[in-house]
């Protein structure tokens, strides 16, 4: 175990850049997973762990979990309590994080499950929403997620934490935009989620494979170009006074109806 006490250490600078910069994550093909459960989940999911950092106060408390991480990674760093707080992205850090190689997500959609049920996200911007959608999609059994290139980074710290490990396992495909994806994959029947009382009720749709449901931006919904390429539009019927739902809450309902 290598002890680090200086904030000027190259590894500490590397961690800070990975936490803050999507561009740096893309260039280095690495991201940070923080928390005991998330780090051990990465190891158990066969993600490639490049380095492990633990707080000096956590070595004994999480000794068994750290041994699991040491078994798959020979670069283990021990940080002072203050230094770990400086690199942590959480308010109450557990004192364990790891640097993970970005997964080899499919470069071609055809490499994903053929004939499955998918969720497409059109310009989702809130990392917490994206992480929750990924977690829900994996839990319920969606075959994969398609993201437009203007969605927030799936490897940002908030997305990784919110996904609760789904980022290590859920097939994802990033496309330039959802409209062009739909035009290239007419084999998928496409359904757009809209706020429109005249649209089909989601409860009246029998989603059959292969298909894809599209969920739009938190504030602006689905882009007009995407809607033009969709086969059907549907809405979640609501009896209360709320005009719409949070993107992740709506996604949970949609994903459940898609898979049930």
């Amino acid at each position: 175990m290598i002890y680090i006490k200086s904030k000027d250490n190259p590894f500490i600078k590397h961690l800070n850049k990975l936490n803050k910069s999507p561009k740096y994550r893309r260039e280095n093909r690495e991201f940070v997973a923080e928390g005991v459960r998330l780090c051990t989940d990465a190891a158990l999911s066969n993600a490639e762990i490049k380095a492990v950092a633990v707080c000096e106060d956590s070595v004994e408390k999480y000794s068994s979990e750290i041994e699991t991480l040491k078994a798959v990674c020979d670069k283990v760093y021990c940080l002072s309590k203050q230094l770990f707080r400086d690199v942590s992205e959480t308010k109450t850090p557990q004192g364990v994080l790891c640097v993970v190689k970005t997964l080899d997500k499919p470069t071609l959609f055809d490499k994903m499950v053929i004939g499955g049920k998918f969720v497409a996200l059109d310009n989702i911007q809130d990392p917490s929403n994206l992480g929750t959608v990924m977690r829900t999609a994996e839990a319920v059994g969606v075959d994969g997620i398609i993201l437009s290139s203007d969605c927030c980074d799936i490897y940002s710290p908030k997305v990784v934490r919110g996904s609760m490990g789904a980022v290590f396992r859920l097939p994802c495909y990033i496309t330039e935009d959802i409209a062009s994806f739909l035009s290239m994959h007419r084999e998928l029947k496409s359904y757009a989620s809209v706020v429109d009382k005249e649209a089909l009720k989601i409860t009246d749709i029998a989603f059959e494979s292969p298909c894809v449901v599209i969920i739009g931006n938190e504030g602006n919904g689905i882009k007009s170009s995407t809607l033009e390429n969709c086969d059907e539009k549907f809405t979640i019927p609501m009896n209360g006074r709320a005009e719409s739902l949070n993107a992740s809450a709506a996604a949970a309902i949609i994903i459940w109806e898609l898979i049930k």
Side-chain angles (χ1 to χ4, degrees), residues 36-168:
V36 176
R37 179 177 176 180
L38 198 56
C39 290
T40 53
D41 203 0
L44 295 174
S45 299
N46 296 317
E48 184 177 343
I49 298 176
K50 307 293 289 186
V52 177
V54 299
C55 177
E56 57 187 356
D57 290 353
S58 301
V59 174
E60 184 175 346
K61 183 176 182 180
Y62 299 113
S63 58
S64 61
E65 291 86 351
I66 292 171
E67 287 301 316
T68 297
L69 295 172
K70 288 170 68 174
V72 297
C73 179
D74 56 5
K75 290 184 179 180
V76 181
Y77 300 91
C78 184
L79 281 56
S80 68
K81 190 172 183 179
Q82 183 57 54
L83 196 55
F84 196 95
R85 284 180 176 173
D86 290 343
V87 298
S88 173
E89 287 290 301
T90 63
K91 291 182 179 180
T92 54
Q94 292 182 307
V96 179
L97 63 77
C98 58
V99 176
V100 186
K101 180 181 177 183
T102 54
L103 283 69
D104 293 325
K105 298 297 184 185
T107 55
L108 295 174
F109 175 72
D110 294 342
K111 291 183 179 179
M112 296 172 77
V113 177
I114 302 300
K117 293 182 176 181
F118 304 93
V119 173
L121 303 178
D122 197 9
N123 190 222
I124 292 293
Q125 291 298 297
D126 188 320
S128 297
N129 280 338
L130 179 53
T132 301
V133 171
M134 294 179 72
R135 180 182 181 181
T136 303
E138 193 217 5
V140 178
V142 169
D143 292 302
I145 285 186
I146 299 95
L147 303 99
S148 60
S149 60
D150 54 6
C151 283
C152 57
D153 183 15
I154 65 171
Y155 295 118
S156 76
K158 285 186 178 180
V159 174
V160 174
R161 288 198 304 274
S163 78
M164 291 298 290
V167 69
F168 304 128

Side-chain angles (χ1 to χ4, degrees), residues 6-13 83:
S6 173
K7 64 180 180 180
D8 294 323
N9 182 280
F11 179 66
I12 299 302
K13 292 182 178 180
L83 196 55

